[in-house]
Amino acid sequence: MTTPAQDPLDAPTAALAAAVLEVARHVEDGPLPAPRLFALARSAELIAASPALAALLGAEGEGANAHDDLHLTPIDLDEGAAPSGPSGGQEDPLAALEKVQWPDMAAGGAIACDLAPSAWSVRDEAEIADGAALPSGRALRVVVAALGDGTTWSAVHRGGEGGYVLGAALLPEISEALVQTLQSGS
């Protein structure tokens, strides 16, 4: 008899990973001339604070996330905002994080951006588990999220139909800066 392999994600990290994928799907098709910031709020707290929101989301009573204290709801802080870069071009995500002010209800935060080709490189092709290379010579779409306790998760889009590379330490500089913004606000 074999024992099933343990899930490498604990429950809080899995909830964060799910929020990262939700943000990634939200920004997947549109252009990102500047980084977009998302507050990550505990869904249970949002629903408790606003019963009307619970009805809108279908989370009343036994709804999908009604009793999940870890589920996170991404809230776009930049919806409709004009690019804030000097020429409306790609702003450095670290510069965007220096200016962020998270709302009180944020348990975490996420940043979605396109990294210019000069801003990234693959350390070792052997590190890519399934052999699918990242697109070279063009911007790389990334989503990085963190919780106030320092838990992080990232998604890097491979381009085309290639899906995402996922992991906790894919973009350490952005992850660390994001955690610092969350911890300095508490």
Side-chain angles (χ1 to χ4, degrees):
M1 183 168 141
T2 45
T3 306
Q6 279 207 276
D7 188 346
L9 298 177
D10 59 11
T13 306
L16 184 61
V20 164
L21 289 175
E22 186 174 341
V23 169
R25 282 190 297 272
H26 181 69
V27 300
E28 191 168 61
D29 295 326
L32 279 177
R36 286 183 60 184
L37 297 163
F38 296 81
L40 300 178
R42 296 275 178 217
S43 301
E45 292 175 19
L46 285 175
I47 290 169
S50 177
L53 179 62
L56 179 68
L57 297 175
E60 295 177 294
E62 299 301 316
N65 299 310
H67 301 291
D68 185 351
D69 291 334
L70 297 176
H71 186 269
L72 297 163
T73 299
I75 301 167
D76 193 342
L77 300 179
D78 300 321
E79 189 68 50
S84 58
S87 63
Q90 290 178 341
E91 181 182 1
D92 176 10
L94 299 176
L97 287 170
E98 288 176 358
K99 298 180 269 185
V100 70
Q101 293 184 342
W102 300 109
D104 290 340
M105 54 59 178
I111 185 168
C113 63
D114 287 336
L115 294 179
S118 61
W120 66 274
S121 64
V122 176
R123 287 178 288 201
D124 182 4
E125 284 294 327
E127 290 181 15
I128 300 175
D130 60 9
L134 294 171
S136 61
R138 66 176 213 234
L140 189 65
R141 176 73 46 99
V142 301
V143 177
V144 180
L147 297 175
D149 68 1
T151 303
T152 64
W153 196 258
S154 305
V156 177
H157 196 275
R158 290 187 180 136
E161 299 296 320
Y164 294 90
V165 175
L166 305 169
L170 297 177
L171 300 151
E173 289 179 5
I174 298 173
S175 297
E176 288 171 23
L178 183 54
V179 169
Q180 286 178 352
T181 67
L182 292 162
Q183 291 176 345
S184 67
S186 57

